[in-house]
Amino acid sequence: MIRAEILGTGGYVPARVVPNAHFDYLVDDADQWIHSRTGIRERRFAAAEEATSDLATNAALLALENGDVDPLELDCIIVATSTPDMILPATACMVQKNIGAAKAFAFDMNAVCSSFIYGVEVADNLIRSGKYRKVLLIGADTYSKILDYDDKGTAPLFGDGAGALILGAGLSGKGIQHTVMQSDGNGWELIQVPSSGSRKPISAESIAAKENTFKMAGKSVFSFATDVIPRIISDLAERGGVKPEEIDHIIPHQANVRIIDFISKKTGIPKEKFLLNLDRYGNTAAGSVGLALDENRRNGVIKSGDLVLMMGFGGGLSWGGVLLRA
């Protein structure tokens, strides 16, 4: 059976470090307030001239180097993002130009913070079809560009970053084993940028009302996440014929350490199995899972043969998970 195996990974964050103290204007002792509620200590913000395609390009180049893959070998490039450089054309086409992948077709996909996991599903199926052999997937977001910096409930949560993954056709039995994907459009209003498209085009009035910035119903999203994540874990373990405790590592979407604490207690899976970089990068949206995957492959935490579960959840509402053999 053809499986999509990991050929290389890459991760990139902007140079600018933004500590919690940056938000002292919003709340007294912002560092303690933010860290106690989220687990975040700092995050990275893109420079004024940096866009999502720049972060994605850097992560892609590192993945190509890591996997010793020639850009001309790529059949497809997927950029998973909800903060594209512009509404059109696809950010993936800009990345294609930047890395010299002239033979690939390129497109964007948006499932908000689930985008990278959804992208793995698409890339896996492209490869399993037998028609394509090498797919570059990049999860990248620059939420610093769309935040309302007067909203203490959202502004301190996010950072910018990109994680890249190259999948290739293989017969070793490693790679993507099983996936689960789901959406519930009944919850679409919980996470949104109200004035950003054809429903309510950006205008002077919408900008004045800050409707062109990110909005989230935090308590409802917390309840949603703590409901679906245990189901992702149990569903994938069952499909893989393993017990949850037999999974070596879990890479969750890096949203809030309280969510991870809750899931660890609910499932009985030790918190040490959850690979986190939330304290250093905040919530990097579609970048978070790919960043953590790359970091832990490079530092040797994830070893060849390890069973790894990756999962995401976000706007849409959307959620999904991937079980892979490293």
Side-chain angles (χ1 to χ4, degrees):
M1 176 186 293
I2 295 175
R3 292 192 189 276
E5 300 181 1
I6 296 177
L7 302 182
T9 58
Y12 179 81
V13 292
R16 182 187 173 195
V17 178
V18 180
N20 286 342
H22 174 83
F23 297 97
D24 280 343
Y25 70 94
L26 280 179
V27 60
D28 292 336
D29 193 6
D31 183 53
Q32 189 279 332
W33 190 87
I34 295 168
H35 184 258
S36 65
R37 286 163 173 77
T38 67
I40 300 169
R41 286 289 189 191
E42 61 187 31
R43 73 288 291 142
R44 303 293 184 96
F45 280 177
E49 67 277 7
E50 276 185 308
T52 296
S53 66
D54 299 314
L55 275 59
T57 296
N58 281 305
L61 290 171
L62 289 168
L64 290 165
E65 179 183 11
N66 177 248
D68 193 23
V69 175
D70 186 321
L72 293 176
E73 297 175 24
L74 296 175
D75 296 306
C76 176
I77 300 169
I78 305 169
V79 171
T81 185
S82 51
T83 53
D85 282 26
M86 55 190 71
I87 196 168
L88 58 91
T91 299
C93 291
M94 302 174 190
V95 174
Q96 178 195 23
K97 173 181 179 290
N98 293 343
I99 67 174
K103 296 181 180 179
F105 69 99
F107 63 95
D108 292 355
M109 61 179 303
N110 177 8
V112 197
C113 293
S114 303
S115 296
F116 184 83
I117 296 298
Y118 274 41
V120 173
E121 170 77 357
V122 172
D124 179 44
N125 280 282
L126 287 173
I127 290 170
R128 284 177 184 261
S129 75
K131 190 174 181 180
Y132 307 99
R133 296 197 59 81
K134 292 182 181 179
V135 177
L136 168 63
L137 164 65
I138 314 157
D141 271 311
T142 50
Y143 268 49
S144 67
K145 309 283 187 175
I146 62 168
L147 295 174
D148 175 358
Y149 286 98
D150 291 323
D151 180 5
K152 69 179 182 181
T154 58
L157 302 181
F158 292 90
D160 303 334
L165 169 65
I166 302 175
L167 292 172
L171 299 171
S172 73
K174 292 184 177 182
I176 308 303
Q177 306 293 309
H178 301 280
T179 63
V180 292
M181 304 289 148
Q182 200 162 346
S183 301
D184 180 6
N186 291 312
W188 75 263
E189 293 178 299
L190 297 180
I191 301 173
Q192 59 172 297
V193 179
S195 177
S196 57
S198 62
R199 174 65 60 188
K200 183 179 262 189
I202 294 175
S203 64
E205 292 75 19
S206 70
I207 293 172
K210 295 189 175 181
E211 291 178 328
N212 63 321
T213 61
F214 179 85
K215 312 295 181 189
M216 179 172 68
K219 290 183 179 179
S220 297
V221 172
F222 185 95
S223 297
F224 151 68
T226 51
D227 174 50
V228 300
I229 292 174
R231 285 192 270 142
I232 294 172
I233 295 172
S234 61
D235 285 356
L236 283 172
E238 182 178 351
R239 293 186 188 205
V242 299
K243 297 177 181 178
E245 57 266 28
E246 295 178 288
I247 297 169
D248 295 301
H249 308 289
I250 296 177
I251 303 179
H253 169 49
Q254 315 276 321
N256 189 319
V257 75
R258 284 184 171 182
I259 293 175
I260 307 307
D261 290 339
F262 183 96
I263 300 308
S264 176
K265 291 176 182 177
K266 187 170 183 178
T267 62
I269 298 173
K271 189 177 175 182
E272 293 71 30
K273 287 196 173 186
F274 292 82
L275 304 182
L276 305 178
N277 56 27
L278 178 73
D279 59 323
R280 289 170 285 126
Y281 300 142
N283 181 346
T284 52
S288 73
V289 173
L291 268 172
L293 174 65
D294 175 62
E295 183 175 65
N296 286 282
R297 284 184 80 242
R298 289 176 185 267
N299 65 18
V301 171
I302 296 176
K303 300 175 177 62
S304 179
D306 282 354
L307 194 60
V308 181
L309 188 152
M310 305 188 300
M311 61 186 176
F313 56 90
L317 293 166
S318 60
W319 64 98
V322 175
L323 190 66
L324 68 89
R325 182 71 67 179

